[in-house]
Amino acid sequence: MQRKTPFLIALTAVILVAVVGAPGLTAAPKLTLPDMPNPKVIAYPHEVGKYGGVHVRAQITDPRTFNIIVAQETSSTDILANIFDGLVEQNYITGEIEPALAESWTVSKDGRTWVFALRQGVTWFDGKPVTADDVVFTFQAIFTEGVQTSSRDTLTFDGKPLRFRKLDDRRVEFRTEKPIGTFLRVIGASIVPRHKLAEALAKGPAEFNRTWGVNTPPREIIGTGPFVMQEYVPGQRVTFLRNTKYWKVDKAGNRLPYLTRYVRLIVPNLDALRLKFLAKETDVYAARPREFSEFKQMERAQNFTIYDGPETFSSEFVVLNQNPAGVKPPKLAWFQDQRFRRAINHAIDRATIANQIYAGRATPAWGPMSVGNKLYYNDKLPQYEYNLARAEQLLAEAGYRKGSDGFLRDAQGNIVEFTLSTNAENNDRVAMGNILRQDWTKLGIKVNYAPEAFNTLVGKLTGTFNWDAIIIGLTGGIEPVTGKNVWLSSGSLHMWWPKQEKAATPWEEEINRLFSQAENEVAQDKRKQFYLRWQQIVAEQVPIHYFSYPKTQPAVRNTMGNVTPIGLQGAIQPIDTLYYKQVLR
């Protein structure tokens, strides 16, 4: 339901969307584009729409930054995805990689050199042309030591950074030491304007990381996407205006997007989004699985359709902190003990989570890949059935004993106690935490449950590392190597112990090797074998305890045009081509 950059796995607070119509709709005029000799034509199934209307979406957390290079959480990236573009993009229906800012590319016979040609006539919001200098600058920023970005993880191959250089104003060359079979999947980093950010980078990475913070006047955030940021009111909304010089057109040659304006509301929790939809103030709502039957009955009266989509690629889970920089003994010993992790995995009641949170409309998760990913899902993973007796047995074998006071103690007599948190704005995760706390307490573990703000959690995960256990989520994608920032031991989102200089365990080192082998392999069926083994290791070592993969089910009012709920994760048409068929009020 939203235009996303698919090339990097990001932390998710669970973002829902909403839409409201507005007067002033007009037939799409035929446009001539003398400034754009080769615009991208959106050829996938859609209608030629009308111009006008105000599109309103909502999310449950304020953005942390407007700097797309350093953004690592959906509260920021989902806003910025409509401002910035990459050289390539993913087709939301087929998942194939298509041209974007780059209109074409070539690759050498040895598969090590790629040359991308920029689309002519593309300009930044301030009218300056997009050139190869902007592309080179973007990658220079990504590879500047100290710049807080996850993109560096995905663009480093076997420990060696991607090499790049300008050939001329429209062409950029990229080189790798070995052929990279997944190169097009990872080269889609958002391009940023050199003329706006070069001075900040020249002052050092700390200055660059602070640049384009949320206090920046919105009009200074310069991109190439379909919408220009106009206003940001913390805790209330972000407002955008249509980019009248956007580089995409519809199949009739009309410049996109159709919408005049869109607003992204910031609301306190998931329930607030539901209430707005039921009050007919919004036109799209990412209904939660347990709401499906209720919403199905209200379709006619409320003039919407709720779609029964596939399982999401995104994941919900709990992770224990194994990072010595953030947690000390004896907790560190517990969390680094595979037997302890397996034991508490048996004390996660996935059936109750699926039934109470998702009304049964979810598939239990035993590993990092959604069953919705038909290409790479491993259906032979070990399953940790909910079994407190088995959990107690594993704990006893590892030297843990429950005392007469009911508390679990380790072999040194320390009471097993830690703090569990999640983002308080997400009602469903808060409920998941209560289920976990109750069952882990039955094992004698003293669980201090403390939900807090999403951006606070992200700060701990990526900055201070001062946390014990967190329930959170990650966006997903077709190709696992796009999640190198999570799965490589050196990755910035390797949450349980990020940025390791050397893999701390043999199994993490094996995952490093598997991902290296996968990205070097051109044949998809051969890459799959590496991914199957990766999933097996994660299921056996349980650094992350997964819950379920719920169904996607967007509820969309029938006044909207170009709603096509097919393709990846049940996505509807991107915002580029959405339009209003009629005025609501």
Side-chain angles (χ1 to χ4, degrees):
M1 278 175 283
Q2 49 213 7
R3 185 174 175 272
K4 284 187 176 181
T5 302
F7 304 99
L8 192 67
I9 300 303
L11 293 164
T12 173
V14 176
I15 306 299
L16 304 184
V17 299
V19 184
V20 59
L25 304 185
T26 59
K30 180 68 177 179
L31 298 179
T32 57
L33 305 176
D35 58 328
M36 182 77 58
N38 186 24
K40 179 170 181 177
V41 180
I42 303 303
Y44 43 69
H46 74 282
E47 306 161 343
V48 174
K50 300 177 181 179
Y51 286 109
V54 180
H55 188 78
V56 182
R57 299 188 176 195
Q59 66 183 55
I60 59 174
T61 307
D62 277 284
R64 296 182 75 232
T65 180
F66 293 145
N67 187 333
I68 189 65
I69 298 293
V70 304
Q72 299 190 63
E73 59 292 318
T74 53
S75 57
S76 302
T77 58
D78 279 2
I79 286 175
L80 300 174
N82 292 289
I83 298 177
F84 298 98
D85 301 293
L87 295 174
V88 298
E89 63 185 4
Q90 180 175 277
N91 184 295
Y92 88 105
I93 295 177
T94 67
E96 295 300 316
I97 299 301
E98 299 179 342
L101 292 182
E103 64 181 12
S104 63
W105 57 80
T106 60
V107 59
S108 61
K109 290 183 179 180
D110 64 4
R112 298 169 51 220
T113 303
W114 297 73
V115 176
F116 287 79
L118 294 178
R119 194 176 301 277
Q120 289 181 273
V122 179
T123 62
W124 298 102
F125 294 159
D126 59 6
K128 294 187 181 298
V130 176
T131 72
D133 290 325
D134 298 305
V135 178
V136 169
F137 170 76
T138 297
F139 286 91
Q140 287 174 340
I142 288 171
F143 283 102
T144 296
E145 189 66 32
V147 169
Q148 297 169 351
T149 179
S150 289
S151 296
R152 188 160 52 245
D153 299 330
T154 60
L155 295 168
T156 300
F157 310 101
D158 292 335
K160 298 179 181 179
L162 176 68
R163 289 180 289 169
F164 48 89
R165 67 186 180 106
K166 172 184 174 181
L167 297 181
D168 54 43
D169 283 348
R170 288 189 55 226
R171 294 186 304 149
V172 178
E173 178 188 270
F174 297 94
R175 298 191 66 187
T176 58
E177 294 295 322
K178 298 179 180 178
I180 304 299
T182 57
F183 188 80
L184 290 176
R185 291 282 175 191
V186 299
I187 197 59
S190 295
I191 304 303
V192 297
R194 180 182 183 276
H195 67 283
K196 286 293 184 178
L197 295 174
E199 183 178 349
L201 187 63
K203 293 179 180 178
E207 179 66 21
F208 185 84
N209 293 335
R210 290 191 294 266
T211 301
W212 280 4
V214 293
N215 293 324
T216 305
R219 286 289 191 164
E220 292 185 15
I221 311 303
I222 302 300
T224 57
F227 289 95
V228 180
M229 193 186 308
Q230 180 187 37
E231 179 189 42
Y232 169 49
V233 182
Q236 297 185 36
R237 65 185 176 275
V238 185
T239 304
F240 301 82
L241 294 177
R242 177 177 182 265
N243 177 11
T244 59
K245 294 186 176 181
Y246 189 44
W247 48 274
K248 290 183 182 179
V249 299
D250 66 17
K251 58 187 176 183
N254 305 306
R255 195 189 293 268
L256 299 171
Y258 297 119
L259 300 164
T260 298
R261 185 164 63 97
Y262 97 88
V263 179
R264 193 175 273 271
L265 300 177
I266 299 164
V267 297
N269 52 47
L270 301 183
D271 290 341
L273 292 167
R274 169 190 166 90
L275 291 174
K276 285 190 174 292
F277 185 80
L278 294 180
K280 299 185 179 180
E281 297 177 12
T282 60
D283 274 351
V284 176
Y285 172 55
R288 289 173 278 181
R290 66 171 179 268
E291 297 169 335
F292 184 81
S293 296
E294 175 192 5
F295 274 57
K296 196 68 178 173
Q297 296 173 4
M298 294 190 296
E299 282 182 315
R300 180 182 291 272
Q302 289 271 357
N303 191 32
F304 67 77
T305 300
I306 184 167
Y307 297 91
D308 190 358
E311 290 87 354
T312 180
F313 282 15
S314 299
S315 56
E316 303 279 337
F317 53 81
V318 62
V319 57
L320 305 179
N321 192 351
Q322 301 182 45
N323 186 354
V327 62
K328 304 302 180 185
K331 288 179 186 176
L332 184 62
W334 311 333
F335 297 163
Q336 289 185 348
D337 186 347
Q338 179 199 32
R339 299 165 299 177
F340 181 86
R341 299 195 301 270
R342 284 183 170 180
I344 65 171
N345 207 22
H346 277 292
I348 296 176
D349 193 346
R350 290 173 174 81
T352 294
I353 290 174
N355 291 328
Q356 291 187 6
I357 310 300
Y358 301 127
R361 292 177 57 79
T363 301
W366 309 110
M369 182 65 67
S370 169
V371 66
N373 191 324
K374 306 303 182 184
L375 288 177
Y376 298 126
Y377 176 70
N378 188 339
D379 60 359
K380 296 179 174 59
L381 299 181
Q383 299 184 4
Y384 295 78
E385 75 281 4
Y386 175 63
N387 188 329
L388 293 179
R390 176 59 177 156
E392 290 175 340
Q393 179 185 358
L394 289 173
L395 288 170
E397 291 173 0
Y400 297 84
R401 296 289 185 273
K402 187 186 293 187
S404 58
D405 56 4
F407 290 122
L408 187 71
R409 287 175 169 80
D410 63 19
Q412 287 71 44
N414 300 298
I415 292 177
V416 179
E417 176 182 4
F418 57 83
T419 298
L420 171 67
S421 190
T422 191
N423 53 308
E425 309 95 332
N426 189 315
N427 316 60
D428 290 348
R429 286 183 186 164
V430 171
M432 293 175 194
N434 279 316
I435 293 171
L436 260 65
R437 179 183 57 81
Q438 292 170 11
D439 285 319
W440 288 353
T441 298
K442 293 175 184 177
L443 296 177
I445 299 173
K446 188 175 180 181
V447 180
N448 305 308
Y449 191 32
E452 52 191 325
F454 176 69
N455 286 336
T456 301
L457 291 183
V458 174
K460 291 179 178 180
L461 279 168
T462 62
T464 69
F465 311 124
N466 183 23
W467 56 278
D468 292 342
I470 288 179
I471 297 171
I472 201 163
L474 287 169
T475 57
I478 293 177
E479 198 75 34
V481 296
T482 60
K484 285 169 61 178
N485 55 328
V486 175
W487 293 108
L488 293 189
S489 59
S490 59
S492 59
L493 275 183
H494 191 72
M495 283 176 283
W496 60 95
W497 189 347
K499 303 178 182 179
Q500 299 174 24
E501 292 186 8
K502 182 180 179 181
T505 62
W507 60 269
E508 287 171 294
E509 178 59 33
E510 183 177 357
I511 289 178
N512 291 346
R513 290 195 301 270
L514 289 169
F515 271 64
S516 176
Q517 291 171 305
E519 67 187 5
N520 291 334
E521 180 54 64
V522 175
Q524 187 178 81
D525 58 337
K526 294 181 179 179
R527 284 204 305 276
K528 181 176 181 178
Q529 301 309 309
F530 302 127
Y531 294 149
L532 293 178
R533 174 58 185 157
W534 156 66
Q535 293 172 70
Q536 183 75 25
I537 294 171
V538 175
E540 292 172 352
Q541 297 295 333
V542 286
I544 292 176
H545 301 72
Y546 294 91
F547 300 150
S548 300
Y549 288 102
K551 301 267 279 184
T552 54
Q553 44 191 51
V556 188
R557 293 208 182 278
N558 299 324
T559 49
M560 289 186 60
N562 277 338
V563 176
T564 311
I566 59 177
L568 302 176
Q569 304 187 67
I572 66 170
Q573 200 84 343
I575 193 173
D576 308 42
T577 51
L578 286 176
Y579 77 98
Y580 293 100
K581 296 187 290 186
Q582 62 188 70
V583 180
L584 297 183
R585 59 178 69 87

